[in-house]
Amino acid sequence: MKFQAPKGVSEYVPPRSRAFEWTRDTLLRSIKHSGYQLVELPVFEDTELFTRGVGASTDVVSKEMYTFEDRGGRSITLRPEGTVGALRAVIEHGLDRGVLPAKVFYVGQFFRAERPQAGRYRQFYSVGIEAVGVDDPALDAEVISIAYAGFRALGLKQFHLDITSLGDGQSRAAHKVDLVAFIKTLDLDEATIVRAQLNPLRLFDDKREEVRAMMATAPILLDYLSESSRAHFLAVQSHLKALEIPFSINPRMVRGLDYYTGTTFEFVHDLLGAQSGIGGGGGYAGLMEEIGGQSLPGIGFGLGIDRALLAAEAENVVPTAEFASDLYLIPLGAAAKSTALIISESLRDSNISCEIAFGDRSLKGAMKAADKSRARYVIVLGESELASGEFELKHMASGSTSSVTLTSLVQTLQQALSVI
Ligand code: HAM
C-alpha cells in the first residue's frame, strides 16, 4: 500500500517549506507591528456558526464545507474561513468589552471542498486579522495598508488593489429593491432564483458567461450609498491616497462570503492566472450580532499564504540564499565531533546558524553535502586543526579562506556575516 496526501491539499516539505515559512512570517510581521494579537483557535467549530455567519447562499457554505457528525452526534465543520471563528472567540472571551477596537490575528489551515487546481486547494493556509468595535475610515485604511505592507515586504510588485463599498443597511435596502426588480426580469433557472432570494448580490459572482452578460446592466450598490456610507468611503479613499497605496474602484466586486458591509477590497496578482486573489477582506457591521454578540462593527482581511508564495515565486523574489545556514562544520573523527558539537552550540547562542556533517562520510562526500546545503562558510575539523586550535574558514561563494582560532570564531563570523 502506497499512501499519498489527500487530493487537493497544499503541503510543504524542504526545500520549499523554508520559502513557505518566509512568506507566512513576512506577512505576519506587518500585522504584529500594528498591535494585533494572536488568537489560536480550533480548526473545527459548530456547523451553525458558519451557516449563520458566512451565509447559506454562499458557495463556501452550500457546496464547500467539510461537515461531519462527531461522536456525540454534534454537527461539526472544518473552518472554511477565519472571521466567524475569531469573532466567536472575541465574544466568548469578552475581548469586545475591553479597549476597542479589539484587534486579533490568526494563521493556519482552512478547508474548502473546491475543485483543486493551481493555487486552489482543499486545505490552504491563510493569515487574517479582525478589528472589532470601531467604525472609522482611518481604521479601514490601516487594515488595507497592513495587507499592502505585507505583500510589499515580500517584494511583490505585480499586484493591484480593488476596493468598493457595500454600504450600510440603508444603502443595501435601497439597492435591493431595484436589484430584485431587475432580477425578476431575467430568464433564470430555478436554483439561481433560489440563490438570488437568499442574497441577490450573489448573482454578480456567477461564473456562467450568460448570467454575467445578463448582470452587466444590473443596478450597482455604489450608486445607492447613503450619505454617511458615501462620506465614509470617500474618507477611506483619501487616506489610501495619503498613504500612496494605489487602488481602483471595482463596483462589481463580490466577495465569496455574505457578511460584508461597507469597505470591501481584494488584492489581485497579475501573474497567477485564474486563482489570482492573494488577499481580501472588508467590513461586517452585522456579523457580531448575527452570531450572538453585541452590535458592533468590524473589519478585517484574510491573505492566502499559498498564493502569496506562488506570487513571490512568479516574481522571482524569494530570497533563497538567505535560507541557508551560516556555517557548515565537517568534523573528522570522534574527538572532532565533540568539538563540533561545542562550537555549534556556542554559535547558536550567538544567533549564528550552524550545521554539522554527521556520520562518517569522506571529506569529499561531506564537502559535497556542504555545497548542497548552500551554507555560507565551511570549516573542516581534522586532527591537526584540533591540535593547533586553528581552523581554516572557507567562504563558499568566493572560495577564499582565512585562519581563525576557536576563541575568535564567533566574533569573526559575526563580523563577516554582518557585512555580507
Ligand atoms: P477569502 O477571500 O475567502 O476571505 O479568503 C482569503 C484568502 O485566502 C483569499 O484571498 C485567497 O488568497 C486565499 N484562499 C481562499 N480560498 C483558497 C483556496 N481554496 N486555496 C488557496 N487559497 C485560498 C476570507 O476568508 C475572509 N475571512 C477574509 C476576511 C477577514 N474578511 C474580513 N475579515
Side-chain angles (χ1 to χ4, degrees):
M1 185 76 187
K2 205 170 144 200
F3 291 109
Q4 287 187 327
K7 190 171 172 224
V9 301
S10 67
E11 60 179 5
Y12 297 92
V13 299
R16 195 164 175 252
S17 51
R18 191 61 193 85
F20 172 82
E21 257 188 295
W22 164 79
T23 308
R24 182 194 60 203
D25 296 347
T26 305
L27 292 175
L28 282 174
R29 208 173 316 130
S30 71
I31 291 172
K32 291 185 194 172
H33 282 170
S34 313
Y36 285 78
Q37 296 192 62
L38 178 69
V39 282
E40 195 62 88
L41 302 172
V43 297
F44 56 85
E45 300 267 4
D46 275 348
T47 301
E48 205 191 335
L49 178 68
F50 298 116
T51 38
R52 284 183 78 91
V54 176
S57 80
T58 61
D59 279 358
V60 168
V61 166
S62 65
K63 301 183 189 156
E64 297 171 357
M65 293 209 300
Y66 282 99
T67 298
F68 59 96
E69 204 171 274
D70 74 2
R71 285 166 196 273
R74 287 170 287 257
S75 181
I76 291 292
T77 293
L78 299 183
R79 60 181 184 188
E81 64 98 55
T83 305
V84 294
L87 296 197
R88 192 267 307 141
V90 163
I91 297 166
E92 188 171 334
H93 300 282
L95 303 182
D96 55 339
R97 307 208 174 259
V99 178
L100 297 179
K103 301 198 297 186
V104 297
F105 77 88
Y106 45 84
V107 55
Q109 291 94 333
F110 296 87
F111 308 85
R112 295 183 191 176
E114 303 194 79
R115 205 158 39 78
Q117 64 181 86
R120 184 164 77 185
Y121 310 108
R122 291 182 172 172
Q123 175 180 295
F124 62 96
Y125 291 84
S126 182
V127 357
I129 69 171
E130 311 298 342
V132 176
V134 168
D135 180 17
D136 183 344
L139 174 63
D140 298 13
E142 187 188 59
V143 166
I144 293 173
S145 78
I146 293 168
Y148 181 76
F151 292 135
R152 295 289 298 177
L154 290 174
L156 299 184
K157 291 200 172 72
Q158 300 188 58
F159 66 93
H160 58 273
L161 165 65
D162 282 352
I163 65 168
T164 190
S165 171
L166 296 179
D168 53 13
Q170 190 192 333
S171 325
R172 279 196 310 284
H175 173 245
K176 194 171 175 180
V177 173
D178 285 1
L179 181 60
V180 168
F182 173 84
I183 289 172
K184 278 209 178 107
T185 67
L186 304 178
D187 181 20
L188 295 167
D189 60 281
E190 199 48 41
T192 312
I193 293 169
V194 171
R195 223 151 69 96
Q197 278 163 355
L198 285 170
N199 179 1
L201 287 176
R202 279 268 85 78
L203 293 207
F204 283 110
D205 199 24
D206 203 292
K207 303 285 177 293
R208 292 165 297 180
E209 237 355 282
E210 63 274 20
V211 181
R212 278 179 180 277
M214 284 189 251
M215 291 301 287
T217 54
I220 51 177
L221 223 162
L222 215 49
D223 295 332
Y224 291 77
L225 291 189
S226 65
E227 227 14 81
S228 65
S229 286
R230 188 180 309 281
H232 185 110
F233 190 42
L234 285 172
V236 173
Q237 290 173 52
S238 78
H239 288 309
L240 290 177
K241 281 179 193 149
L243 285 163
E244 295 182 16
I245 297 177
F247 63 88
S248 334
I249 296 176
N250 174 4
R252 293 178 173 277
M253 179 200 310
V254 182
R255 308 264 308 124
L257 313 156
D258 266 357
Y259 47 66
Y260 288 112
T261 61
T263 311
T264 35
F265 55 92
E266 243 163 27
F267 288 90
V268 181
H269 197 266
D270 305 331
L271 306 178
L272 290 189
Q275 303 305 316
S276 55
I278 51 175
Y284 40 80
L287 183 54
M288 282 284 286
E289 214 173 351
E290 183 66 40
I291 60 170
Q294 310 184 68
S295 172
L296 286 176
I299 183 160
F301 64 60
L303 314 180
I305 304 174
D306 314 88
R307 289 187 195 170
L309 170 57
L310 288 170
E313 287 170 339
E315 289 200 44
N316 213 3
V317 291
V318 181
T320 31
E322 281 176 25
F323 302 157
S325 293
D326 298 323
L327 179 67
Y328 201 88
L329 276 175
I330 302 176
L332 303 174
K337 274 187 193 168
S338 183
T339 308
L341 286 169
I342 295 164
I343 293 177
S344 162
E345 189 188 52
S346 67
L347 289 177
R348 274 195 301 265
D349 285 349
S350 308
N351 213 15
I352 296 171
S353 56
C354 175
E355 281 184 71
I356 299 174
F358 290 110
D360 293 308
R361 258 180 291 191
S362 67
L363 180 57
K364 200 169 150 214
M367 280 309 282
K368 251 194 190 158
D371 231 15
K372 258 198 170 156
S373 82
R374 303 175 75 180
R376 292 176 185 82
Y377 290 90
V378 172
I379 288 177
V380 178
L381 287 177
E383 266 174 36
S384 60
E385 283 89 351
L386 282 187
S388 68
E390 272 199 16
F391 316 96
E392 223 169 55
L393 180 66
K394 183 172 179 189
H395 182 236
M396 293 301 273
S398 63
S400 65
T401 56
S402 54
S403 176
V404 287
T405 61
L406 198 51
T407 43
S408 68
L409 181 60
V410 169
Q411 210 189 357
T412 309
L413 275 175
Q414 270 171 338
Q415 274 166 0
L417 291 166
S418 67
V419 296
I420 283 176

